[in-house]
Structures are given as C-alpha cells and as structure tokens.
Amino acid sequence: MENEHQPDNIPVVSLNDALTAGLMTMFENRHDLTQALAAAVQAAHKLTGCEHVFLTRYDQVTKTFSSVAWESSLNPGPVTLEQKFMGDSYLAKQMVFIADLSQYNYRLKSAVARLGLKSMIGIPLVDSNGLLGTLECFSHEPNFFSQEQLGQLSLLAKQAALFIEQDDHAEDCRLWAIENAFMHEVHASDQSAEGTLLYKLGKALGDLFAVDGIAVFGLEPDSQYDILQEVIAIGFTTQDVTTLKKSIHSSLLDKLLHHSDFINDGLFMKHNLSSSASEPKKVLTIAPVAWRKTLHGLVVYYRTKPISEAIQARVERFAARMIDYLASVLNRKALYNTIQRVSLTDALTQLPNRRLFDYIFTREFEKVKRGKQSLGLLLIDIDFFKDINDQSGHQAGDAILEQLGGMLKNSFRSIDLPARYGGEEFAVILPDTDIKSALAAAERFREEVEVTAFAAGNLRLSVTVSIGIAIHNSRTGQCYCDQTAVLHAADQAMYRAKEQGRNRVVVAKVSG
C-alpha cells in the first residue's frame, strides 16, 4: 500500500506559539484573502522548518492548480490536475503524508525529481462544493515530518479553506447584488429609451467586472450593422472608439450573432484594438446583446490586471444573465414598437393613420384649450380623384396617394403632423399656428402639388388639391367648443373650396 493516507483521527495537540500566532495573523487579515493565505504559509513554514511550503488554489473550471502563496526558493507555476503529484488524492479529499518521496520518482516530473525532495505533507483545502486548493510542505530530508505537524497543518488548512470559502461567498453576494439591482432597475424603467437601458447595462457591467475600460454600443435591429452608436465609453479614448467602430465589421457581428448562446457556451469573443502604432494593443472582450438572432447592441471591455479563469468564468456567467435579460427587454420593446407602428401607420403613404390622428388632435386641442396657444388644422382633398381611378386605374390612384404622402412629410415643420384622414383626404395638425401662417403653409403646398408631375407607371399625371383651414386661437377669441367642431369647420371650408372651383384654399369662420 502506498505511503499516503487520510488519518482516521488527527491527534489532539497543544496549540504551540507558532500555530497560535499563525491562526491569529490569519484571522487579523481575514478581510484580505491574499494576506490571510500568506500568513498560513508563513505559519506552516515556522511549524515545520521545511525548505518549501506552497498554498495553491484549484480552478474547478480549468482543472488547474496555481500557487497563490509560498515560502520557497523555487518559483512555482500552474499545473493541471493530471500533472499534479497526488492530484487524484487531493481531488478525493485525502491528505498525503509521505516519508520517502524517492519511492515515487516514477510519478514525479523529472525536473521535480532532480530537486532532491525526500518527504512531504499535502493537505487538501475543501468546502461543500469540493476541492479549493492545497497546502503542501516539502523537505530535502526523508522522514522529516511528524504526525503532530500533520495535525497542526490541517488546522491551518481548514482555516485557509474557510477564508477562501467566505471570500468566494462574499464575491458571489457582490455579483448577485449587482445583478439583482440591475434587473430591478431595468424592470422599473423598461419604458425608457433603448439607449438609456444600454447605458444602465454598461454601468452595471463595469462594476461587475471591475474593468479598466467598458463601452456599450446600440444597434438598430434593421440597420444591417451600418451604425454602431456608443451609449457609454469609460476607459476608452475618442480615438479608441473611432478605431473600434471601424474594426467591428459586419462579419464579426454576424459571427457573434450566430454564436450568441454565450450564456451556456461561455462565448465572450476576444478582439485586438490598437489606436496607433505607438500604443500597445488592448485585448478586448466582446459580447453581443442579442435575442433570438436579433442584435440590439454590443458590450466591449478590457482588463489589464489578470484574473483566474475560474473567476473570469464565474463573472461572465453573471454578465451573460444580465445581458440576456436586457436583450429580451429590448426585443419586447422592438416588437411592441413594430406593432404600434403598423397599427398607427397608413400602409400606403406611411403617414399616421386616422386612429393616430384622432389621438394626437384630441391631445393638442386639450392642450390649447387650457392655455393661450393656437392650433391650426388643414383638411386636404384631391380634386377629381374618382376620375383618375376610373380613367387611369386604381394603381395610378395609389401611386398618387403614395407620392402625395411623401410630399406632405417634406412640406411641413417637424412639429406638424400630416396624416391620411381617409380615402383621398389628408389632414395636417399645425400646433401654435395662426391664420396667416396656416394660410401661407397651405398655399405653398397647394402650389407644389399643382406643378408636380405624378408618376404612375408610364404615365405622368397632374392633380390639384382643395384645402380647408380651421384655426382655434385662444388669444384672439376665435375658439371652438371642442375638437369635433374644429374638424367640422375645416371640412366645411374644404367643401367651399370645391364649390368655388377647386384647387384653392378656404379659411373657416369660427361659429362657436
């Protein structure tokens, strides 16, 4: 049987000064894990007087041991579970006590065997989730260690494991707090603009990753990756952002998008950035803000201080859930906006439809009724439109309606609302507009229509419009009782324009 074992009963020993001092120093540094583990190594070195003491952390993701504290002339490097001497014993939570290592030269790396190590104690650091690391002592003399030292070292190892477990738990609590606060904030403000929500994501991920730089870009789902618009860029210069936009081309975004199940795959793509030849490259990590193959944005960050792969993987799992949650929110917003756009937009002219017109006009009228502003309304009807449909066909009529809709969009102010009122009739809401201004705007549009040749297939058609104007003006006392009265007045003025020969503008008189 191999000379390794897990003692059934660790002997009860008096806590000598070295052990007591070591445990006290560890406790005093419990809020600084690095210092606490260094204190454990120093205490183990004093307790045993051996030449080499190493404390390693075990990465359960990469299955790698990395030394975090040591007292030795050797420079320890990371080793895999397969390379680790007695790694299987540690994984099985077994302590290792070997009086003569020469018996195990066949299992030691040749470089290690040449060091002349003769005896060792190895104690696994464990918690409820498994192996956390090891505390190992080596001597160049055989039979160097005692059972009493094994018991004392096991106390140090248990304390070190407890501090590691507490530190890991505290870090998880920090990450959970950031995640929960972010999700609550997004839920509470999911009606905010997409840019605002992406900004919140950037701030939260900056705290989560403790990065040197983070940038978040918004991207319209239908933009074909033409435009990346930064909503937050911390730790990136203006030149960095410009270079980054140029370097993130459509093929890279497509690759991200089609591998966007990173919440399970752990895919955060690496990307190099160099703003100038004199500056070192930044190794960036990029993650898509995507939902079901629809890309809404991009997260880019970099860190100069290295961290273990286990910590990186743990943080990225939290980040992936946060990004995934926001992506689902942005997708719902995009879907809702599409539904709203379709339900409130005339399909032929792409102008607001009657439903949206009624809502906006009612809102604007109530606003001017409470205040001292004025409100203008134009009702526009295409002259002899039935004749156009009868003589040139309904396709020609549709072509005219579509082109007239485009002219209305371009002919009025940004605060005005042109809409398709129904059939061949259009309406334009003119906020804060008096009679003189409304008449001038209507005449300009009438004249523009009159001189335009409308394309309908191979045909070029001329049309005219008749326009009725109604103005509600609280300052002058020209007021209507409600919005229905304004609409009726504008409609009557439009019909008078028809009766007076068409292709003209008529202003309604206020009748109360």
Side-chain angles (χ1 to χ4, degrees):
M1 182 177 177
E2 292 183 342
N3 192 19
E4 58 173 296
H5 60 279
Q6 181 176 10
D8 294 331
N9 295 296
I10 297 175
V12 178
V13 296
S14 61
L15 299 180
N16 60 28
D17 292 343
L19 179 58
T20 302
L23 291 172
M24 287 297 295
T25 304
M26 290 177 68
F27 185 77
E28 290 168 359
N29 289 280
R30 63 190 182 279
H31 299 303
D32 186 336
L33 183 62
T34 301
Q35 293 296 324
L37 298 183
V41 167
Q42 291 168 7
H45 188 251
K46 290 180 180 179
L47 279 169
T48 61
C50 65
E51 294 89 345
H52 311 284
V53 181
F54 304 100
L55 194 151
T56 67
R57 288 294 306 269
Y58 178 62
D59 188 329
Q60 296 184 12
V61 176
T62 61
K63 300 186 183 306
T64 302
F65 293 86
S66 300
S67 295
V68 294
W70 60 89
E71 285 282 347
S72 173
S73 58
L74 304 178
N75 186 12
V79 295
T80 64
L81 178 62
E82 291 76 14
Q83 296 171 328
K84 181 73 171 175
F85 179 59
M86 295 300 177
D88 292 340
S89 297
Y90 294 138
L91 199 60
K93 303 180 182 179
Q94 296 175 338
M95 289 187 285
V96 176
F97 186 92
I98 301 178
D100 187 0
L101 274 171
S102 63
Q103 299 177 22
Y104 295 87
N105 280 346
Y106 69 96
R107 293 176 59 180
L108 291 170
K109 285 185 176 182
S110 58
V112 175
R114 288 194 298 270
L115 293 174
L117 304 179
K118 294 298 196 288
S119 57
M120 74 169 288
I121 287 177
I123 304 174
L125 311 181
V126 298
D127 69 359
S128 57
N129 295 318
L131 184 62
L132 297 174
T134 63
L135 176 62
E136 296 173 297
C137 298
F138 295 89
S139 174
H140 293 285
E141 298 179 22
N143 301 302
F144 183 80
F145 300 102
S146 67
Q147 289 287 335
E148 182 180 4
Q149 289 171 333
L150 177 64
Q152 292 174 326
L153 290 174
S154 70
L155 292 175
L156 289 174
K158 287 179 180 178
Q159 190 65 63
L162 178 61
F163 286 158
I164 291 173
E165 183 180 16
Q166 289 175 341
D167 189 75
D168 287 349
H169 181 66
E171 178 63 7
D172 279 340
C173 288
R174 184 185 75 86
L175 300 179
W176 284 325
I178 293 172
E179 179 186 11
N180 290 336
F182 168 74
M183 291 185 173
H184 175 75
E185 191 173 4
V186 170
H187 178 74
S189 58
D190 64 353
Q191 297 304 313
S192 301
E194 286 84 349
T196 300
L197 296 176
L198 286 168
Y199 180 88
K200 293 179 185 297
L201 176 67
K203 293 290 289 183
L205 291 183
D207 294 336
L208 188 81
F209 283 117
V211 295
D212 295 292
I214 187 164
V216 179
F217 298 88
L219 189 144
E220 290 295 331
D222 300 326
S223 68
Q224 296 300 312
Y225 315 140
D226 289 338
I227 299 174
L228 284 175
Q229 182 62 52
E230 72 271 17
V231 295
I232 184 172
I234 300 172
F236 286 92
T237 66
T238 303
Q239 182 61 42
D240 282 340
V241 172
T242 301
T243 304
L244 188 57
K245 286 182 179 180
K246 291 179 180 178
S247 66
I248 299 178
H249 42 75
S250 59
S251 61
L252 176 60
L253 291 173
D254 278 330
K255 186 176 180 181
L256 278 166
L257 184 59
H258 288 89
H259 294 81
S260 60
D261 189 20
F262 59 90
I263 195 166
N264 295 316
D265 297 344
L267 176 68
F268 281 73
M269 186 175 291
K270 299 299 180 184
H271 183 69
N272 291 326
L273 174 70
S274 181
S275 297
S276 66
S278 61
E279 292 184 2
K281 287 183 178 179
K282 292 184 176 77
V283 180
L284 308 178
T285 303
I286 302 178
V289 182
W291 182 259
R292 295 179 181 174
K293 307 306 179 186
T294 299
L295 191 62
H296 295 280
L298 211 61
V299 175
V300 182
Y301 71 89
Y302 72 92
R303 179 192 291 107
T304 55
K305 183 179 179 181
I307 61 173
S308 73
E309 292 187 35
I311 295 175
Q312 178 74 8
R314 179 171 60 181
V315 173
E316 286 183 354
R317 284 195 294 273
F318 279 89
R321 290 199 297 267
M322 293 163 63
I323 293 172
D324 195 57
Y325 178 71
L326 180 61
S328 69
V329 171
L330 294 178
N331 194 71
R332 288 198 303 271
K333 287 176 67 67
L335 180 61
Y336 176 78
N337 291 339
T338 299
I339 293 172
Q340 285 291 92
R341 188 167 59 250
V342 170
S343 65
L344 299 174
T345 303
D346 176 62
L348 180 62
T349 64
Q350 296 302 302
L351 291 174
N353 60 16
R354 175 69 179 271
R355 179 184 174 192
L356 182 56
F357 166 82
D358 287 341
Y359 171 78
I360 297 295
F361 187 61
T362 299
R363 187 188 68 184
E364 291 298 315
F365 184 81
E366 290 301 319
K367 189 188 301 182
V368 298
K369 194 174 181 180
R370 292 192 301 268
K372 296 296 182 180
Q373 300 87 6
S374 59
L375 178 66
L377 176 65
L378 309 184
L379 284 183
I380 303 167
D381 187 83
I382 301 174
D383 298 328
F384 302 112
F385 189 71
K386 183 178 182 302
D387 293 344
I388 295 172
N389 280 332
D390 292 343
Q391 296 170 14
S392 303
H394 287 278
Q395 288 184 337
D398 287 348
I400 290 172
L401 290 171
E402 184 177 1
Q403 292 168 66
L404 197 64
M407 294 172 64
L408 281 164
K409 289 179 187 177
N410 297 324
S411 298
F412 291 89
R413 302 170 301 177
S414 59
I415 64 171
D416 300 332
L417 180 78
R420 187 175 181 188
Y421 193 68
E424 68 271 23
E425 288 187 54
F426 296 86
V428 183
I429 301 172
L430 305 172
D432 199 21
T433 304
D434 56 20
I435 290 178
K436 182 179 178 181
S437 299
L439 183 59
E443 281 291 353
R444 281 196 305 272
F445 182 71
R446 183 196 64 77
E447 292 172 0
E448 183 182 359
V449 172
E450 185 179 18
V451 299
T452 298
F454 290 82
N458 295 325
L459 301 176
R460 293 295 182 270
L461 302 175
S462 296
V463 299
T464 60
V465 293
S466 297
I467 303 177
I469 301 177
I471 299 292
H472 177 96
N473 194 330
S474 301
R475 290 189 294 266
T476 63
Q478 297 173 307
C479 300
Y480 293 88
C481 59
D482 55 32
Q483 65 270 21
T484 302
V486 182
L487 278 166
H488 179 73
D491 188 58
Q492 291 300 306
M494 183 186 69
Y495 276 104
R496 284 200 298 275
K498 298 277 190 185
E499 292 170 354
Q500 293 174 18
R502 296 181 171 80
N503 189 24
R504 65 190 64 234
V505 177
V506 172
V507 178
K509 296 181 179 178
V510 179
S511 58

